[in-house]
Amino acid sequence: MRNYNTIWDEIFEERNPSSYPFDNVVSFLFRNYPKDKPKEKVKILEVGCGGGNNMWFASREGFDTYGIDGSKRAIEIAKKRFLEDKLNGNFIQGDFTNLPYEDNFFDIVIDRCSIVCVNKNISKQVFSEIFRVMGIGGSFFFNSYADNHTSCIEGLELSNGITTNINSGSLVGNGDLSFYNRQELLDRFSLPWKIISMKQKNIVDLIDNRNEVHAEWELILEKVND
């Protein structure tokens, strides 16, 4: 599949995916879903849904859930889990740069560190597609890695913006990744996007004086018009 790093098929074969949603996704969803609509009418897409842990939570809460991932194995895991738990969810293997959904279809789109797996030229196409499938007033949660992350500083950034040779820090074993700085995000999400919230979270590992930094961005964005 175009733009997909097959390392993730290997990762999903070797690792058991998380059974529970990420806390930042839970917080974002409860604070930002449209309260003027019944939950079953609120359509949520997760780009890079993995084994479906975040959408498992959203479906249990009554939302109309969708997930797309480049990994065939990840989608198999998500579908199996939803079937076993008798939950409704719509999962497909697909390309983030060509989302198979109608214009203005979703109320909420979530990306928890999946778009970072493609280079920054491709990510522009992904953001354009996310914008297209979101309804006006919809919310996009973009969770990515920051460029002060140890894995970024110790790696090698290529001309397309992706970092390779990641041999240190908390992201070793996750393939090549894109790390973003503040100005890049401000430029990328100018009008017709509206930045509602922009936070950077840093965790410093102090054991054995490592001083390794795990740094992430959390942005909440709104589609203000077409």
Side-chain angles (χ1 to χ4, degrees):
M1 182 175 300
R2 191 167 71 94
N3 305 324
Y4 174 64
N5 188 337
T6 56
I7 191 175
W8 287 100
D9 282 320
E10 300 171 18
I11 288 172
F12 281 109
E13 287 290 350
E14 295 172 359
R15 303 180 193 170
N16 290 321
S18 172
S19 298
Y20 298 101
F22 286 91
D23 57 354
N24 57 355
V25 173
V26 173
S27 297
F28 161 77
L29 187 54
F30 273 131
R31 292 173 181 170
N32 293 277
Y33 81 86
K35 306 301 190 296
D36 59 340
K37 297 176 72 170
K39 283 186 177 180
E40 65 271 18
K41 299 292 185 182
V42 176
K43 297 184 183 299
I44 302 173
L45 169 67
E46 182 169 20
V47 175
C49 62
N53 53 315
N54 291 319
M55 292 300 93
W56 172 83
F57 153 74
S59 183
R60 285 171 61 92
E61 290 297 319
F63 296 106
D64 188 11
T65 55
Y66 297 73
I68 184 170
D69 202 285
S71 169
K72 179 181 178 182
R73 181 59 181 150
I75 295 300
E76 289 173 348
I77 292 169
K79 287 183 175 180
K80 182 175 183 290
R81 184 177 189 190
F82 270 58
L83 182 63
E84 290 175 346
D85 287 355
K86 297 181 173 59
L87 295 172
N88 293 319
N90 303 274
F91 294 99
I92 60 171
Q93 181 189 14
D95 189 330
F96 299 169
T97 64
N98 186 24
L99 297 175
Y101 309 106
E102 299 175 3
D103 295 357
N104 304 305
F105 189 72
F106 292 103
D107 300 286
I108 289 176
V109 178
I110 293 167
D111 166 46
R112 206 217 70 84
C113 298
S114 61
I115 298 174
V116 294
C117 296
V118 300
N119 70 55
K120 292 177 182 179
N121 295 327
I122 293 172
S123 72
K124 293 178 183 179
Q125 302 171 47
V126 180
F127 294 133
S128 178
E129 275 291 274
I130 289 173
F131 186 86
R132 179 184 65 79
V133 301
M134 282 177 55
I136 294 174
S139 296
F140 173 34
F141 180 63
F142 178 54
N143 182 194
S144 70
Y145 301 125
D147 66 343
N148 58 314
H149 198 297
T150 296
S151 293
C152 176
I153 294 170
E154 299 295 329
L156 173 65
E157 184 176 358
L158 304 179
S159 60
N160 60 10
I162 205 162
T163 297
T164 189
N165 295 344
I166 296 174
N167 297 311
S168 62
S170 59
L171 298 175
V172 172
N174 289 294
D176 297 346
L177 298 166
S178 290
F179 297 83
Y180 290 85
N181 62 51
R182 181 175 182 271
Q183 191 58 52
E184 283 179 312
L185 296 176
L186 291 174
D187 293 341
R188 183 65 54 89
F189 294 113
S190 57
L191 288 174
W193 290 101
K194 179 180 180 182
I195 299 176
I196 303 299
S197 174
M198 184 178 192
K199 298 177 181 178
Q200 185 180 121
K201 294 184 176 180
N202 298 320
I203 300 173
V204 183
D205 187 350
L206 298 176
I207 192 168
D208 298 328
N209 294 315
R210 282 184 204 158
N211 292 316
E212 290 184 350
V213 177
H214 180 95
E216 295 185 7
W217 291 105
E218 291 184 2
L219 273 68
I220 299 174
L221 304 145
E222 181 183 340
K223 177 177 176 176
V224 292
N225 58 58
D226 281 325

